[in-house]
Amino acid sequence: MAAVAARAGVALNTVYTSVGGKPALIEALVDESTTDETIESALAAMAGSTDPAGILRRLASTTGEVTRRQAGTLRILLENRTAEPVVAAAADRATARYRARLHQVAAHLAALGAVPADTARTEQILWFYFGTGAWTTVRELGWDWPEAADWLATQATTALLKPGAAG
């Protein structure tokens, strides 16, 4: 909390008065990162699409964009989850929200008849390709965001879609 106050250039009491304690600050970070307006806009666009490969391209670009913008929050959650129970709980909530949105995309792909797997397995495969671990890995390899999004979308399309559904 002292580091937050110092970075904001305010007194420590100002942080506690305006945000609350560490649990409230962590929850605010999670809420901000998981309610990004880009997410809802992309979900609506994907829900209205009948192009399975296009849905996966949009999912790749959107998850990459949001992950890039929220990298600081993700780093805090992932690096501190084992040391702080409050952070672990917040990280679990953020992950559950992320996976619930991937489940929505999986259900839409299943409804389109584009995937051979059921919705639960499709969501797991989406998490494999577009979850935080995938983005962390491609960034550690030095890939730029667009290159990573293109590659992940191509791999997910190959892994998930029935022949002929890839457009």
Side-chain angles (χ1 to χ4, degrees):
M1 295 300 285
V4 170
R7 178 126 186 202
V10 299
L12 182 58
N13 284 342
T14 302
V15 175
Y16 281 108
T17 302
S18 58
V19 178
K22 188 187 292 187
L25 178 61
I26 296 297
E27 190 58 38
L29 287 171
V30 168
D31 283 345
E32 178 189 336
S33 67
T34 61
T35 58
D36 189 304
E37 70 181 47
T38 303
I39 298 167
E40 296 307 318
S41 172
L43 283 171
M46 287 183 276
S49 176
T50 58
D51 173 14
I55 291 168
L56 293 175
R57 284 191 304 276
R58 179 70 180 256
L59 184 60
S61 66
T62 301
T63 57
E65 178 184 343
V66 173
T67 300
R68 179 186 55 77
R69 281 204 319 263
Q70 301 299 335
T73 300
L74 285 170
R75 189 173 46 257
I76 290 167
L77 293 174
L78 297 176
E79 290 176 0
N80 295 291
R81 76 180 309 155
T82 58
E84 293 274 347
V86 169
V87 176
D92 290 345
R93 281 191 302 282
T95 299
R97 289 176 186 167
Y98 194 164
R99 293 199 60 170
R101 289 176 173 135
L102 291 176
H103 188 86
Q104 288 178 299
V105 176
H108 183 55
L109 290 169
L112 292 174
V115 293
D118 64 15
T119 300
R121 179 54 58 99
T122 300
E123 179 264 315
Q124 292 168 351
I125 295 168
L126 291 174
W127 178 250
F128 178 84
Y129 285 105
F130 304 116
T132 54
W135 288 107
T136 299
T137 299
V138 293
R139 294 297 295 154
E140 285 173 354
L141 293 172
W143 298 13
D144 65 29
W145 293 100
E147 176 186 20
D150 286 345
W151 188 84
L152 290 169
T154 299
Q155 300 312 306
T157 297
T158 301
L160 273 173
L161 300 185
K162 291 178 180 178

